[in-house]
């Protein structure tokens, strides 16, 4: 029911009702899930195109709800943000992912510069709390900044630009790299790219999907332009949502450094990641 004629005075629809009551019920359960740490993390490998090496993983939250089953983060993260739960959820994600990173270190499964990448919400970029959490979790797990990256979207940064910039500067002072997520999808000005310091640019899946699809070649041109810009800025590039061999080949030709996507692996439980990491590098 997205487009409606101007004369159709639809005030309430059954589908709206479902959505609203689902949201209310989700809120209730999510509050409990966050306080009971009833969430889990999965890890998606990030692979270097040149060496075919897993250089890191992105940590993604999962919620298996009693009443709703598996709820996607695309649905529960916004709910957590609205409810003021994102601070707690975000703190949990930092603690849990850095604990896992520390464990892999201890077991000698990964190199020192192998990194875990954690997503941060707009609200976490306001104030310095997140910096303290990151520092604490690094200390607890004997990690150096080298092993950690945070991901922020352009639109989260833009919400409170000056404060976010300040928080990100403190995060970088810990030696943690900053990745700009979903690059190219927000209507933001390119001016911030030189104003804000960051280390990695993640090309959104929508641009990767357009690779090689069209006869005019615009899909490839956009990705080529993003990669050229990243190189000029001296930052690394990760292509997101790579599913097909043909996309991988185009990205390689265009000089993309790193890729992430179902082609190599979907996000995995820690134990599954440990069991398959060498097979992923063989792909
Ligand atoms: P994102 O940060 O852009 O994460 C990438 C999403 O793309 C993940 O969805 C991942 O599973 C999916 N993906 C990766 N490769 C492919 C592929 O080849 N094909 C397709 N179709 N999808 C692929 P997921 O796990 O459902 O997460 C959705 C979004 O939820 C994330 O998008 C991120 O914005 C947010 N999110 C997840 N966990 C957290 C978290 O702990 N904190 C915060 N603040 N946000 C989170
Ligand atoms: Ca991300
Ligand atoms: Ca992304
Ligand atoms: Ca996304």
């Amino acid at each position: 029911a997205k487009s409606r004629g101007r004369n159709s005075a639809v005030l309430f629809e059954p589908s709206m009702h479902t959505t609203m009551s689902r949201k209310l019920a989700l809120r209730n359960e999510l509050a409990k899930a966050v306080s009971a740490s009833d969430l889990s993390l999965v890890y998606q490998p990030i692979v270097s195109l040149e060496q075919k090496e897993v250089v890191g993983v992105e940590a993604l939250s999962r919620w298996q709800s009693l009443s709703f089953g598996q709820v996607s983060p695309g649905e529960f993260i916004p709910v957590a943000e609205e409810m003021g739960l994102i601070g707690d959820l975000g703190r949990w994600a930092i603690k849990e992912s850095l604990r896992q990173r520390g464990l892999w270190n201890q077991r000698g499964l990964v190199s020192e510069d192998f990194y875990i990448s954690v997503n941060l919400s707009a609200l976490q970029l306001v104030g310095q709390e997140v910096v303290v959490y990151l520092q604490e979790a690094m200390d607890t797990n004997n990690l150096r900044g080298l092993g950690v990256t945070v991901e922020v979207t352009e639109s989260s940064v833009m919400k409170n630009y000056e404060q976010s910039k300040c928080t990100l500067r403190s995060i970088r002072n810990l030696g943690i790299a900053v990745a700009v997520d979903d690059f190219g999808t927000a209507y933001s000005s390119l001016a911030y790219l030189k104003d804000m310091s960051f280390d990695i640019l993640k090309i959104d899946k929508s641009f990767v999907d357009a690779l090689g699809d069209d006869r005019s070649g615009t899909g490839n041109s956009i990705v080529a332009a993003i990669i050229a810009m990243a190189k000029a800025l001296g930052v690394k590039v990760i292509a997101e949502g790579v599913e097909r061999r043909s996309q991988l080949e185009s990205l390689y030709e265009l000089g993309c450094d790193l890729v992430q996507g179902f082609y190599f692996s979907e996000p995995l439980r820690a134990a599954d990641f440990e069991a398959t990491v060498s097979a992923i590098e063989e792909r």
Side-chain angles (χ1 to χ4, degrees), residues 149-251:
T149 296
V150 296
E151 301 192 5
V152 295
T153 63
E154 294 171 273
S155 42
S156 331
V157 173
M158 290 309 152
K159 271 185 193 142
N160 298 285
Y161 186 62
E162 289 305 325
Q163 290 206 54
S164 302
K165 213 169 75 173
C166 175
T167 307
L168 291 172
R169 199 182 304 128
S170 307
I171 290 178
R172 288 183 91 233
N173 285 339
L174 297 177
I176 293 174
V178 171
V180 173
D181 206 351
D182 300 350
F183 181 77
T185 56
Y187 297 95
S188 55
S189 127
L190 290 178
Y192 82 94
L193 286 177
K194 63 177 169 57
D195 184 43
M196 186 192 110
S197 26
F198 62 99
D199 310 273
I200 301 165
L201 207 152
K202 298 189 82 170
I203 305 178
D204 191 69
K205 182 180 190 304
S206 53
F207 300 112
V208 172
D209 285 343
L211 279 173
D213 278 359
D214 49 354
R215 257 145 279 151
S216 63
T218 24
N220 287 38
S221 316
I222 291 175
V223 173
I226 298 176
I227 292 171
M229 193 186 63
K231 297 256 148 104
L233 291 166
V235 302
K236 282 193 193 150
V237 209
I238 303 179
E240 292 194 276
V242 177
E243 294 176 346
R244 296 189 301 273
R245 173 111 215 149
S246 62
Q247 295 171 328
L248 197 70
E249 282 161 3
S250 305
L251 288 163

Side-chain angles (χ1 to χ4, degrees), residues 16-32:
M16 283 169 72
H17 177 76
T18 316
T19 317
M20 280 163 63
S21 58
R22 178 176 163 93
K23 204 161 169 184
L24 284 176
L26 277 176
R27 284 169 166 239
N28 264 320
E29 271 208 30
L30 186 60
K32 283 183 241 156

